[in-house]
Amino acid sequence: MIARVSLEIPLRKEFDYSIPPGLAGQIEVGTRVQAPFGARKIFGTVTALAEESAHAHLKPILRIVGAQTLVTPRVLKLARWIADYYCCAPEIALKSVLPEVVRKKEDGWKKQLFVRALPPTGEFPKLPKRQQQVWNIIEERREMLITELLELAQTTAATVRKLEDSGLVEITSEISERDPYAREHILPSHPLSLNDAQSAALARITTAMGGSEDGRSKMEDGKIITPLKSQISNLKSPSSTLRPPSSPPSRPSSTFLLHGVTGSGKTEIYLQAIAYALEMGKGAIVLVPEISLTPQTVERFKARFSAGKLQTLVAVLHSHLSAGERHDEWHKIRQGRARIVIGARSAIFAPVEPLGLIIVDEEHEQTYKQEESPRYHARDVAIMRGQMENAVVLLGSATPSLESYYNAKKGKYELLELPERVDAQKMPRVRVVDMRQAAAKEKGNLIFSPQLKEAIHQRLEKQEQTILFLNRRGWATALQCPLCGYVAPCPNCSVSLTYHRIEQNLVCHICGHLDKVPLVCPNEKCRNPAIRFSGMGTQRIEETLAKLFPQARIRRMDSDTMKRKDDYRKTLGEFRSGGIDILVGTQMIAKGLHFPNVTLVGIIHADSALHQPDFRAGERTFQLLTQVAGRAGRGDVEGEVFVQAFAPFHPAIQYARRHDFMGFYDQEIEFREELKYPPLSRVALLTLKGRNEDKVKFSADYLKRELERTLSEFKDLIIAGPAPAPLLKAETFYRHQIMLRTRAMSKLSQALARILPPLALPEDVTLSVDIDPVNLA
């Protein structure tokens, strides 16, 4: 037999290898292998099997990686689509569907020594006092880790070995799974009663998954009654390769857009829809933006589905896991022991079989888009995977992307609406503060308006909690000389350095460059000692709050403070228990958090993102303000939101103040239609970069001429540029861009894959293609 292998080198080509007799019958499509390539040994994936090859003298495959096929045929098909649509090498697409620790390790399980009490055989021997104490612990526990026993009994391994010699215990090396939530005590939760809008939405979703005519699950008082007893039989040991139970005949796929205001109970619909999928014998994938993947989110799913004997039913995949934890969680899924996967964008490739439901929470989030090749969008990949596997796809958001809402209005998706909060809770009152007027009355750089300061003071008196949001970390955004105008720049990027007061450094948030803070203006002709800082970040907000409210307990959540794996969990746990009065943070606190005692939200510099050179600037501002405001008033007390802005009458701010998504959508879609921007077209962004700006500019001009010559068949094609990127220089590279807009993106992607590789660009100029970009910088 011949194996066709896609190696982990981007050659856009597959290679034939012979299967040696020792591996006969062990290799199938999706098997990970190591094969010779010249003098190297390269990892790859088997994409096809054949009885003969067009090539003679084939080299044999060296070895198999892993005891089980790692890439399922369906995920392999999905990777091929990603390579085709996102205009990247198939090898890169295929490489992205597996975590690195799974791709490289043949056996990555952690093994530890366990001690187990044996059944008595004959008369119990008389033991020395120390051995007897150790035996008493083992007898009580029956089985435990040796390391745990040694710590508990304050003894040595030699003492335990003597018990083994006496025939009282057995010491074995066994797999010890690394569960990131093993030490968490999560109380089980139960399905909640649904209101009419929730019940109607859930009924449409479950009908698309197969209805309830099979009698295996039913609705009662707005709840799905789901006996999970049958799931216990699916739990196997880590070495098991048994597959999950076969599913009932699948139905045609469906995509739903669940548009519900903040606090409308979208998560409860997710939970009950998943319960229905499990009852149908299928699994589910839940995608959550990385910044929203907090312990609180995971706990809500584990509390519903991981109680008692079903502790491995839910697996979690995200970047904060250690390599070992990621390995064990992924293999739980592949072996069918975990039927629900929660994770960031790469979790869309989780090998759940059979797959019944894919949920994309906060589907508008730009973090679902990968910034390196393959530059896929997890939401769109989810929809494609749903179509390939006849699974239902549920997109959820309080502020849907214009693309998704447009598709729902056009009938491509089915729209489900949740117009009100659950339990008759009111939407928070939003007050917009014109900072131009406030700054005119106050001297100096005003951070908090008088209205916001008074509101914070009132919440502290009532022992209610406050969230303050500023999407900018550090202490000041720039170091500036008031005499000559000098601003401390990054030598590698077209941005100013940000001042971090605690570390006493100037930092570039693009490339990470560090500089010392100068005592005088670095301009040789100036040397002014009165150089000062301008702008503000979360460090400065925290420091100012401590001076204004010395009695308040204040914490900051941004990427500077949340560096360790447990920092999120500890800070949010402290906030939930009432140990924090004011939480200051960037966008990581903007969504997905549910704290009933938060009654005030303050948004500092709400309009800071409005003036970016991006056609989505208004949409992102509206989404962010609505999401942050939605953290307030989730308990019995009505919430209040203060939005501080220097452009208070901008439509994005005014529509967010009124919680009016439809009003914003109608005016924004008119602007997009006039300029042929998405969702009225699709965009491909071609970026050329190099260290010599003249070469980059010359290459961009040449590329445009080639595109105009070779893409004449696209009658609706708009070619904009070339032009310098909004961020001209990043990490020492100059960048120029060309934007292509068309409705026929699949066809354009195929044309670009054919046209671009043969182009003769200078060696030190590289070209990248981003299909459906979300970041134009």
Side-chain angles (χ1 to χ4, degrees):
M1 290 291 290
I2 308 299
R4 190 150 294 145
V5 180
S6 175
L7 299 173
E8 290 185 356
I9 41 179
L11 299 174
R12 297 178 183 266
K13 189 176 180 182
E14 295 175 346
F15 297 89
D16 288 354
Y17 289 90
S18 65
I19 299 176
L23 299 179
Q26 300 178 45
I27 292 179
E28 54 190 38
V29 173
T31 299
R32 291 280 299 166
V33 297
Q34 191 176 42
F37 188 78
R40 293 183 290 167
K41 298 175 182 178
I42 308 290
F43 289 103
T45 303
V46 176
T47 58
L49 296 175
E51 293 186 359
E52 56 185 32
S53 171
H55 308 281
H57 309 297
L58 297 180
K59 293 181 180 180
I61 287 173
L62 300 176
R63 66 186 184 97
I64 294 175
V65 179
Q68 185 180 10
T69 300
L70 298 182
V71 183
T72 66
R74 288 174 172 174
V75 172
L76 178 61
K77 183 180 178 184
L78 186 66
R80 290 187 185 280
W81 176 82
I82 288 173
D84 189 43
Y85 181 74
Y86 289 102
C87 203
C88 71
E91 298 88 351
I92 293 177
L94 194 52
K95 188 177 177 181
S96 70
V97 304
L98 290 176
E100 185 175 359
V101 67
V102 175
R103 283 191 286 112
K104 296 292 170 71
K105 288 203 175 184
E106 188 168 1
D107 183 7
W109 295 105
K110 180 182 179 182
K111 293 187 177 181
Q112 290 183 291
L113 292 176
F114 283 78
V115 59
R116 180 183 299 108
L118 294 175
T121 55
E123 187 177 345
F124 190 83
K126 185 174 172 77
L127 298 173
K129 183 180 177 182
R130 195 75 189 111
Q131 290 184 35
Q132 184 66 49
Q133 290 172 342
V134 175
W135 164 253
N136 291 340
I137 295 172
I138 300 172
E139 186 182 32
E140 183 183 346
R141 297 285 192 92
R142 304 308 300 174
E143 183 179 2
M144 62 192 302
L145 275 168
I146 277 196
T147 52
E148 185 183 356
L149 174 64
L150 299 183
E151 184 179 349
L152 194 62
Q154 294 293 298
T155 188
T156 63
T159 304
V160 185
R161 290 290 181 188
K162 288 175 182 175
L163 291 175
E164 184 184 32
D165 294 339
S166 302
L168 296 176
V169 301
E170 177 186 36
I171 298 175
T172 57
S173 175
E174 296 181 14
I175 287 172
S176 175
E177 287 196 352
R178 292 153 289 197
D179 183 351
Y181 296 88
R183 295 185 179 181
E184 294 295 311
H185 181 63
I186 300 174
L187 297 174
S189 70
H190 303 285
L192 304 176
S193 295
L194 305 180
N195 59 31
D196 291 344
Q198 287 175 303
S199 297
L202 183 61
R204 290 296 307 123
I205 296 164
T206 55
T207 299
M209 278 196 282
S212 55
E213 64 270 19
D214 62 355
R216 297 202 303 151
S217 56
K218 58 181 179 178
M219 298 291 293
E220 185 177 293
D221 297 328
K223 302 178 187 177
I224 289 188
I225 308 303
T226 312
L228 294 175
K229 203 187 310 179
S230 60
Q231 296 298 322
I232 297 175
S233 62
N234 292 339
L235 306 184
K236 306 294 179 185
S237 66
S239 59
S240 167
T241 56
L242 293 181
R243 305 306 311 136
S246 59
S247 62
S250 49
R251 303 253 170 171
S253 66
S254 302
T255 300
F256 294 92
L257 175 61
L258 181 61
H259 176 213
V261 299
T262 56
S264 59
K266 294 185 290 294
T267 303
E268 186 60 30
I269 292 177
Y270 300 161
L271 292 167
Q272 297 197 21
I274 291 170
Y276 193 89
L278 292 176
E279 190 59 19
M280 297 288 289
K282 298 183 178 183
I285 296 174
V286 183
L287 297 185
V288 185
E290 182 80 49
I291 54 174
S292 296
L293 197 60
T294 60
Q296 188 182 47
T297 306
V298 175
E299 283 168 15
R300 294 176 78 173
F301 285 87
K302 280 189 170 279
R304 187 67 58 89
F305 299 110
S306 292
K309 295 182 180 180
L310 295 178
Q311 290 177 359
T312 57
L313 193 58
V314 177
V316 182
L317 294 173
H318 60 85
S319 63
H320 290 293
L321 300 182
S322 68
E325 288 170 342
R326 200 175 296 122
H327 170 276
D328 292 2
E329 292 289 287
W330 191 90
H331 279 284
K332 274 188 213 170
I333 303 161
R334 184 67 185 102
Q335 293 163 3
R337 296 182 295 121
R339 307 296 295 126
I340 303 165
V341 180
I342 306 172
R345 60 175 176 260
S346 61
I348 189 56
F349 304 118
V352 177
E353 288 190 341
L355 182 61
L357 178 65
I358 304 174
I359 295 169
V360 185
D361 190 29
E362 308 292 3
E363 64 85 26
H364 65 277
E365 268 295 324
Q366 67 185 69
T367 53
Y368 282 127
K369 176 74 167 163
Q370 174 132 316
E371 294 299 325
E372 308 89 32
S373 186
R375 294 175 172 82
Y376 66 88
H377 197 300
R379 177 196 62 211
D380 298 338
V381 174
I383 293 168
M384 181 54 63
R385 184 170 182 183
Q387 291 177 4
M388 289 179 174
E389 301 194 29
N390 290 326
V392 169
V393 180
L394 177 57
L395 313 177
S397 178
T399 53
S401 64
L402 260 68
E403 288 85 351
S404 293
Y405 201 80
Y406 179 82
N407 284 334
K409 297 280 280 186
K410 292 292 183 183
K412 190 175 180 180
Y413 308 157
E414 183 172 340
L415 182 63
L416 307 173
E417 298 270 12
L418 301 177
E420 297 177 352
R421 284 186 160 185
V422 295
D423 299 329
Q425 292 173 349
K426 293 182 179 179
M427 295 296 290
R429 287 175 296 159
V430 180
R431 307 181 190 277
V432 179
V433 180
D434 188 341
M435 292 301 285
R436 296 171 300 181
Q437 296 180 5
K441 297 176 185 177
E442 299 275 342
K443 290 184 179 179
N445 191 1
L446 185 64
I447 297 177
F448 301 113
S449 62
Q451 300 97 310
L452 180 55
K453 277 193 283 190
E454 177 60 27
I456 295 172
H457 180 72
Q458 290 176 5
R459 293 323 186 277
L460 290 172
E461 286 188 337
K462 296 177 184 177
Q463 295 186 328
E464 295 169 357
Q465 291 173 300
T466 299
I467 287 178
L468 296 179
F469 171 82
L470 175 63
N471 203 19
R472 189 180 294 151
R473 57 194 176 93
W475 197 88
T477 51
L479 179 72
Q480 187 171 28
C481 177
L483 286 184
C484 70
Y486 172 88
V487 175
C490 173
N492 306 320
C493 310
S494 303
V495 294
S496 60
L497 296 174
T498 300
Y499 174 51
H500 286 243
R501 188 163 185 159
I502 296 173
E503 300 85 358
Q504 283 295 309
N505 280 328
L506 294 173
V507 183
C508 176
H509 288 172
I510 303 295
C511 70
H513 174 80
L514 290 176
D515 261 350
K516 295 284 186 184
V517 179
L519 299 177
V520 298
C521 175
N523 185 349
E524 292 292 338
K525 295 180 180 178
C526 179
R527 312 301 288 176
N528 173 29
I531 192 166
R532 65 189 184 196
F533 305 104
S534 62
M536 68 185 77
T538 48
Q539 280 187 3
R540 189 171 183 181
I541 299 295
E542 181 185 29
E543 186 177 299
T544 306
L545 282 171
K547 293 176 181 177
L548 291 173
F549 308 103
Q551 79 282 13
R553 296 164 297 178
I554 304 163
R555 291 288 186 281
R556 174 164 54 95
M557 278 188 72
D558 56 29
S559 58
D560 294 326
T561 59
M562 301 289 109
K563 291 182 177 178
R564 290 191 298 268
K565 190 165 60 173
D566 292 331
D567 286 344
Y568 285 90
R569 194 192 317 258
K570 289 176 182 176
T571 303
L572 293 177
E574 193 177 357
F575 192 57
R576 179 191 300 172
S577 63
I580 299 172
D581 298 314
I582 304 173
L583 186 64
V584 180
T586 53
Q587 60 180 355
M588 64 176 61
I589 66 167
K591 51 191 73 69
L593 301 180
H594 178 84
F595 296 111
N597 198 38
V598 173
T599 59
L600 174 66
V601 168
I603 303 174
I604 318 296
H605 270 308
D607 48 355
S608 61
L610 278 175
H611 311 297
Q612 294 178 354
D614 192 320
F615 67 89
R616 290 191 179 95
E619 179 184 4
R620 287 196 186 123
T621 298
F622 173 83
Q623 290 168 341
L624 197 55
L625 296 186
T626 304
Q627 292 286 346
V628 179
R631 301 313 106 203
R634 287 172 168 255
D636 298 329
V637 180
E638 184 179 359
E640 191 174 23
V641 180
F642 283 87
V643 177
Q644 297 186 167
F646 287 91
F649 300 108
H650 190 283
I653 293 176
Q654 287 300 316
Y655 283 119
R657 179 179 71 85
R658 297 194 293 268
H659 309 288
D660 183 6
F661 174 80
M662 277 309 303
F664 175 79
Y665 173 84
D666 288 340
Q667 68 90 30
E668 184 71 11
I669 205 74
E670 190 176 328
F671 146 68
R672 303 279 182 94
E673 194 165 11
E674 186 175 342
L675 296 177
K676 298 294 184 291
Y677 278 123
L680 284 307
S681 68
R682 309 293 282 271
V683 169
L685 188 67
L686 278 56
T687 302
L688 295 108
K689 68 178 186 178
R691 290 194 167 93
N692 184 314
E693 187 178 6
D694 291 335
K695 275 189 182 180
V696 173
K697 186 178 183 305
F698 173 82
S699 301
D701 292 335
Y702 162 69
L703 176 59
K704 183 178 181 179
R705 291 194 298 272
E706 288 298 305
L707 293 173
E708 289 174 334
R709 182 178 65 82
T710 54
L711 297 177
S712 57
E713 60 186 288
F714 292 87
K715 303 304 179 188
D716 68 335
L717 181 66
I718 299 172
I719 303 179
L727 183 64
L728 170 61
K729 189 181 181 186
E731 298 177 324
T732 72
F733 288 95
Y734 292 95
R735 303 167 331 130
H736 282 240
Q737 296 175 334
I738 298 174
M739 180 188 285
L740 309 179
R741 302 203 292 277
T742 180
R743 285 182 175 271
M745 184 51 71
S746 293
K747 189 178 176 184
L748 179 62
S749 294
Q750 293 170 8
L752 291 175
R754 186 179 67 252
I755 295 166
L756 298 180
L759 287 181
L761 294 175
E763 283 186 9
D764 51 353
V765 175
T766 59
L767 170 63
S768 65
V769 180
D770 193 355
I771 305 296
D772 300 330
V774 297
N775 183 6
L776 303 183

